[in-house]
Amino acid sequence: MESFLWGVATSSHQIEGGNQWNDWWQWEAQGRVEGGARSGSATDHWNRYREDLRLAADLGLNSYRFSIEWSRLEPEFGHWSSEAMDWYESLIAECERLKLKPNLTLHHFTSPQWLAEQGGFSNPEATGFFGGFTKRVVRRLGSRVPLWCTINEPVVLALGSYVLGIMPPGVFAPDLAVRAFTQLLRSHAVAYEIIHRETTTRVGPWKDDPLQVGFAHNLLDFQADRWWHPLEFAISRMLWRIYNKAWMEGIMGRRPSVKLLNVLPEAHWPHELKGRVWADFVGVNYYTKAYVQWRPRDSGEGQTGNLPIGLSFARRREAQSDLGWAIHPKGFEKVLRWAAGYGLPLMITENGIADHTDDRRREFLEKHLSVLQKLREEGMDIQGYYHWSLLDNFEWIKGFGPRFGLYQVDYSNFNRSLRLSGEYYREWIQSQ
Ligand code: IFM
């Protein structure tokens, strides 16, 4: 099936380097990343993007998912950088030359520092700011971009920033998490409308392809740690609803059936979304499962914010990544079947493993790609698969330790080299 999209995914802050105008840069400077790491030059992609896209094309890919760095384009509120816009335009031109269909993400975890200072997405004005940014990008680049993800992992962003302490500002304030969640939903809907409305001309190799706007939603397979424990069972169901389902319900124009921990008053819910579907595809980012534990007393590691809930991502003996995330292809099948139930086409916008020795990635790929193949053969409408990631990169609060790349990066000289698992991915694609 020729039109299936085979790709890799990356994000601006994790690879570009020099993203000094965003909230993460400030956070890193405050020593909030493990080992005091700072993104700095990251993988120096800003200077090496031609080489990197060539590496992607060498894998036999036909699509590339990347993100645009809002803080580069608008480093100060209302001040736009034409140099940054030119750079993204060149990136897209390079995609065209190499026949890599661009899949552009507007927001991937980082916000401009000026927005962060005003409360980020917990600020009701954020939607307007995000809409303004989207308009700029669409007017300049939109004619050449057939695929869009508005926001990457909105639920991770809201919880990571305001419950889990793993993203700036790293505070514990569940009410702000709920506000951010609803602002992100609104922002997505606004961007969805703008992209469709403002894309009036289409040019380039994909001008006749349908314009598709979606998002990239992280899905986890929540399970009770002790299957017989009624509370753990109930909490894992509740987390499924909050983490996986609430966003999807909003996208479908429905109010989530769950009251989000009773902190989402009716007044916050974006009623203007009601009765319409706000996406052309569902982007699924899938990595692993989460074992849910009832922990009434703080027991240190694995504790979730200040909540009496513990999360772990693998049992001791289970095959797992360097980050301790279980290799769990059954969960991939489960979340895809669940997401397909919404009736929209699916796209795997991320799937990958931190594996610095590259001794598990091949098997990881084989198992997850087999699930994908099976579901496609059954007739599930899955339009593409993007492996996370093309290169090793800056893994947020974990710094540069975790290695997700099909290409290894030597950070002393930025040399890239293909891992054996990268060859395996290329062969898999070739055999299709
Ligand atoms: O690196 C991240 C990415 O930015 C978002 N999805 C999960 C990846 C691995 O943790």
Side-chain angles (χ1 to χ4, degrees):
M1 276 173 254
E2 248 190 275
S3 58
F4 189 78
L5 300 170
W6 289 107
V8 284
T10 64
S11 92
S12 54
H13 190 69
Q14 293 178 271
I15 60 169
E16 284 177 0
N19 274 321
Q20 55 190 285
W21 303 275
N22 70 31
D23 52 350
W24 267 87
W25 189 272
Q26 303 298 327
W27 223 52
E28 292 154 30
Q30 291 160 20
R32 301 292 292 262
V33 173
E34 275 183 27
R38 301 183 61 171
S39 57
S41 302
T43 70
D44 197 33
H45 174 72
W46 188 259
N47 297 310
R48 293 164 199 259
Y49 70 97
R50 286 204 168 84
E51 174 191 348
D52 289 342
L53 290 191
R54 178 76 258 162
L55 296 178
D58 286 348
L59 293 175
L61 309 178
N62 58 8
S63 189
Y64 176 55
R65 176 176 173 236
F66 62 94
S67 75
I68 290 255
E69 181 63 35
W70 184 358
S71 64
R72 265 191 199 276
L73 291 163
E74 194 180 9
E76 284 172 53
F77 177 58
H79 290 94
W80 296 88
S81 157
S82 53
E83 188 213 338
M85 199 60 102
D86 291 348
W87 188 89
Y88 287 113
E89 197 165 51
S90 312
L91 183 79
I92 292 171
E94 203 59 12
C95 284
E96 288 173 348
R97 204 176 64 77
L98 295 167
K99 301 195 171 48
L100 294 166
K101 191 174 189 174
N103 186 335
L104 187 156
T105 299
L106 285 163
H107 189 281
H108 193 120
F109 290 162
T110 52
S111 290
Q113 178 59 16
W114 58 261
L115 176 61
E117 281 162 12
Q118 299 179 61
F121 279 93
S122 69
N123 178 347
E125 283 190 277
T127 296
F129 297 144
F130 186 68
F133 158 63
T134 304
K135 232 179 243 172
R136 282 263 168 174
V137 175
V138 175
R139 284 186 184 162
R140 179 73 186 270
L141 308 175
S143 60
R144 298 160 73 180
V145 179
L147 294 171
W148 297 78
C149 289
T150 56
I151 298 171
N152 180 73
E153 299 184 354
V155 182
V156 176
L157 179 61
L159 292 175
S161 307
Y162 300 111
V163 176
L164 302 173
I166 57 168
M167 289 179 173
V171 294
F172 183 76
D175 57 326
L176 292 186
V178 174
R179 275 168 200 268
F181 171 85
T182 51
Q183 284 313 315
L184 285 162
L185 198 48
R186 273 207 178 96
S187 303
H188 162 80
V190 163
Y192 179 82
E193 286 253 285
I194 290 173
I195 296 166
H196 276 293
R197 195 183 58 226
E198 302 272 331
T199 310
T200 45
T201 22
R202 306 277 307 280
V203 296
W206 301 283
K207 68 177 171 22
D208 298 322
D209 290 9
L211 175 65
Q212 287 182 286
V213 183
F215 48 82
H217 184 30
N218 186 294
L219 296 178
L220 271 171
D221 182 14
F222 290 97
Q223 307 189 352
D225 189 39
R226 293 165 286 185
W227 60 266
W228 46 266
H229 197 293
L231 212 46
E232 289 185 351
F233 182 73
I235 298 170
S236 64
R237 299 269 302 246
M238 183 188 78
L239 289 178
W240 181 285
R241 287 192 186 170
I242 293 174
Y243 190 92
N244 293 341
K245 189 173 173 191
W247 176 265
M248 286 308 305
E249 294 292 296
I251 292 297
M252 299 309 288
R254 306 195 283 247
R255 192 188 196 293
S257 52
V258 61
K259 283 214 180 95
L260 297 174
L261 293 171
N262 285 329
V263 285
L264 177 58
E266 191 72 13
H268 284 332
W269 185 251
H271 290 282
E272 71 274 17
L273 264 60
K274 221 171 135 189
R276 260 189 69 179
V277 176
W278 296 91
D280 306 317
F281 66 87
V282 173
V284 172
N285 291 2
Y286 175 80
Y287 290 88
T288 190
K289 63 172 92 172
Y291 290 106
V292 177
Q293 295 139 10
W294 169 244
R295 287 203 202 162
R297 273 176 291 281
D298 188 346
S299 44
E301 203 176 322
Q303 195 78 19
T304 304
N306 292 343
L307 303 171
I309 297 172
L311 288 180
S312 70
F313 299 96
R315 298 202 193 284
R316 206 173 315 144
R317 284 185 215 288
E318 215 168 359
Q320 54 192 267
S321 76
D322 294 343
L323 285 168
W325 299 356
I327 299 174
H328 180 49
K330 274 199 185 130
F332 191 37
E333 178 167 349
K334 180 172 161 190
V335 301
L336 288 175
R337 287 193 189 283
W338 173 79
Y342 284 96
L344 290 168
L346 302 182
M347 226 178 259
I348 319 306
T349 36
E350 284 180 28
N351 175 236
I353 178 169
D355 174 16
H356 75 288
T357 49
D358 201 37
D359 58 358
R360 285 147 290 165
R361 189 174 290 102
R362 183 193 160 116
E363 194 187 337
F364 178 96
L365 271 164
E366 202 253 316
K367 289 190 165 148
H368 288 78
L369 293 175
S370 300
V371 167
L372 176 71
Q373 190 169 12
K374 178 174 102 178
L375 296 177
R376 286 180 67 209
E377 280 168 8
E378 274 180 25
M380 194 180 280
D381 187 2
I382 308 178
Q383 302 192 339
Y385 174 91
Y386 295 85
H387 191 76
W388 184 272
S389 181
L390 175 66
L391 308 167
D392 291 337
N393 57 54
F394 179 71
E395 176 58 19
W396 308 112
I397 191 125
K398 297 284 177 188
F400 287 103
R403 302 287 188 136
F404 276 94
L406 294 170
Y407 286 90
Q408 176 178 352
V409 175
D410 177 342
Y411 288 106
S412 67
N413 53 19
F414 296 119
N415 280 348
R416 281 87 158 116
S417 47
L418 184 62
R419 292 195 162 104
L420 285 176
S421 54
E423 271 173 36
Y424 179 77
Y425 187 39
R426 176 168 59 199
E427 283 161 19
W428 183 283
I429 297 168
Q430 244 163 25
S431 74
Q432 295 300 295

